[in-house]
């Protein structure tokens, strides 16, 4: 392990594991996942997830420095074309699983993606925009970015939005891992109002710098955005159950009727 990777790992564990309150949040989240998978070793699961997140941070740094290190296997890329054929724009809905920033390598398929990102942090917001612009994304700020989002969809462009962590975001309670858990609803409300398809896409690490990008069937435009949310969450749940260590859920999950 390089010195940089060791430093990143130490920082991540100092933030989320050495702090007692944050560690309790992390353990509570991975207990929910462990219970759904019949895995009582949820503490091990949580530590593995923190290690995987450390790898993610290191990979983003490497994406910034040298994208040629990376290999991505794209599965069912034709589904993106099918969604674009509706001429309504496409919202690619993904999650904090694997490495979503590797999606910038869609450019190797001559596909340009726009990313809606939270830039409301004085220093971190500028850094997020810098890094994601450098690795190949066009960045749209989540706050005050609605006009650009709508214009992009009108031009039949592709927008990427993260749809799994609801803390501090307007949300809906959706069936997930044997509970009702809050998920952010913005992507699905926009898709409903614009009648554009949602494309579930998840990028999973197989080996260092080697990823599989899974593109699911697009979710047809729906009047009821909650139906689209549940359909997307059903796809997402499949990946969480298969790759639980690669879901980085370190903030509190809001559980209803669980």
């Amino acid at each position: 392990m390089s010195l940089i990777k060791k430093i990143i790992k130490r920082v991540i564990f100092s933030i989320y594991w050495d702090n007692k309150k944050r560690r309790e949040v992390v353990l509570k989240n991975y207990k929910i996942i462990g219970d759904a998978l019949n895995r009582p070793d949820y503490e091990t699961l949580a530590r593995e997830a923190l290690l995987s997140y450390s790898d993610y941070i290191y990979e983003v740094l490497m994406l910034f420095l040298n994208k040629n290190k990376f290999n991505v296997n794209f599965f069912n890329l034709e589904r993106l074309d099918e969604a674009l054929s509706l001429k309504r724009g496409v919202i690619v809905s993904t999650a904090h699983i694997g490495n979503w920033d590797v999606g910038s390598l869609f450019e190797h398929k001559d596909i340009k993606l726009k990313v809606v990102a939270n830039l409301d942090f004085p220093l971190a917001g500028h850094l997020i925009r810098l890094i994601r612009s450098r690795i190949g994304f066009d960045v749209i700020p989540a706050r005050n970015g609605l006009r650009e989002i709508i214009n992009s969809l009108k031009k039949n462009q592709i927008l990427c939005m993260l749809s799994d962590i609801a803390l501090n975001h307007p949300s809906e309670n959706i069936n997930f891992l044997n509970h009702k858990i809050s998920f952010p609803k913005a992507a699905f409300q926009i898709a409903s109002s614009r009648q554009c398809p949602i494309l579930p896409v998840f990028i999973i690490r197989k080996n260092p710098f080697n990823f599989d990008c899974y593109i699911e069937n697009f979710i047809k435009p729906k009047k009821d955005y909650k139906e689209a949310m549940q359909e997307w969450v059903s796809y997402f749940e499949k990946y969480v159950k298969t790759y639980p260590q690669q879901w980085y859920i370190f903030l509190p999950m809001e559980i209803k009727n669980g």
Side-chain angles (χ1 to χ4, degrees):
M1 181 184 294
S2 70
L3 178 59
I4 295 174
K5 287 189 74 171
K6 288 180 180 179
I7 292 171
I8 292 172
K9 175 188 170 185
R10 182 62 259 161
V11 170
I12 294 301
F13 272 81
S14 68
I15 293 171
Y16 293 109
W17 195 257
D18 296 346
N19 181 291
K20 182 179 179 181
K21 288 185 178 180
R22 289 176 178 163
R23 182 172 68 248
E24 288 174 352
V25 169
V26 171
L27 289 173
K28 181 179 179 181
N29 292 344
Y30 286 92
K31 185 177 188 306
I32 292 170
I33 299 170
D35 288 346
L37 298 177
N38 195 27
R39 281 192 56 172
D41 58 330
Y42 62 89
E43 182 173 332
T44 299
L45 199 60
R47 293 179 66 90
E48 289 174 349
L50 288 167
L51 284 171
S52 183
Y53 186 62
S54 301
D55 289 340
Y56 159 74
I57 298 295
Y58 178 72
E59 289 158 359
V60 171
L61 176 61
M62 290 299 102
L63 276 170
F64 187 83
L65 297 174
N66 183 7
K67 290 196 285 187
N68 292 327
K69 283 179 171 284
F70 291 80
N71 177 66
V72 183
N73 304 305
F74 292 92
F75 292 92
N76 303 311
L77 193 59
E78 72 279 359
R79 290 173 175 169
L80 177 57
D81 293 328
E82 292 168 1
L84 286 169
S85 71
L86 300 182
K87 304 297 183 182
R88 306 292 300 178
V90 175
I91 294 179
V92 166
S93 184
T94 188
H96 296 83
I97 190 169
N99 189 327
W100 54 101
D101 283 306
V102 170
S104 62
L105 298 180
F106 267 94
E107 69 179 5
H108 292 169
K109 301 291 183 179
D110 295 322
I111 298 169
K112 188 71 172 180
L113 304 179
K114 292 191 173 185
V115 172
V116 180
N118 185 0
L119 304 176
D120 288 347
F121 311 101
L123 178 59
H126 291 295
L127 185 60
I128 290 168
R129 181 188 284 274
L130 172 65
I131 290 174
R132 289 193 168 149
S133 297
R134 172 67 175 79
I135 65 178
F137 291 122
D138 287 337
V139 181
I140 300 175
R143 185 186 293 273
N144 301 321
L146 184 58
R147 179 176 294 179
E148 187 174 355
I149 289 170
I150 299 303
N151 287 337
S152 297
L153 293 173
K154 286 180 178 179
K155 295 175 183 176
N156 201 33
Q157 295 176 339
I158 307 164
L159 297 178
C160 300
M161 299 181 72
L162 292 162
S163 298
D164 61 321
I165 295 178
L167 189 68
N168 299 324
H169 296 282
S171 59
E172 292 285 353
N173 300 318
I174 305 295
N175 295 320
F176 179 71
L177 297 178
N178 306 323
H179 295 275
K180 283 194 175 293
I181 292 178
S182 294
F183 283 84
K185 60 186 180 180
F188 305 94
Q189 287 181 313
I190 293 168
S192 179
S193 67
R194 293 295 311 163
Q195 284 295 284
C196 75
I198 293 273
L199 191 68
V201 176
F202 304 100
I203 302 176
I204 301 298
R205 182 186 305 106
K206 293 300 182 180
N207 295 296
F209 304 114
N210 196 334
F211 298 83
D212 286 345
C213 177
Y214 297 99
I215 303 171
E216 299 287 353
N217 287 315
F218 71 81
I219 299 170
K220 295 179 180 179
K222 291 176 169 53
K223 290 184 179 179
D224 184 353
Y225 69 86
K226 291 187 226 178
E227 288 184 20
M229 287 185 74
Q230 185 63 71
E231 194 171 338
W232 180 85
V233 167
S234 295
Y235 280 121
F236 177 50
E237 183 177 68
K238 177 179 69 174
Y239 288 91
V240 170
K241 287 181 175 180
T242 308
Y243 308 100
Q245 302 92 334
Q246 292 196 45
W247 187 31
Y248 316 128
I249 179 68
F250 308 139
L251 298 175
M253 280 196 284
E254 186 178 347
I255 303 172
K256 301 292 183 181
N257 303 322

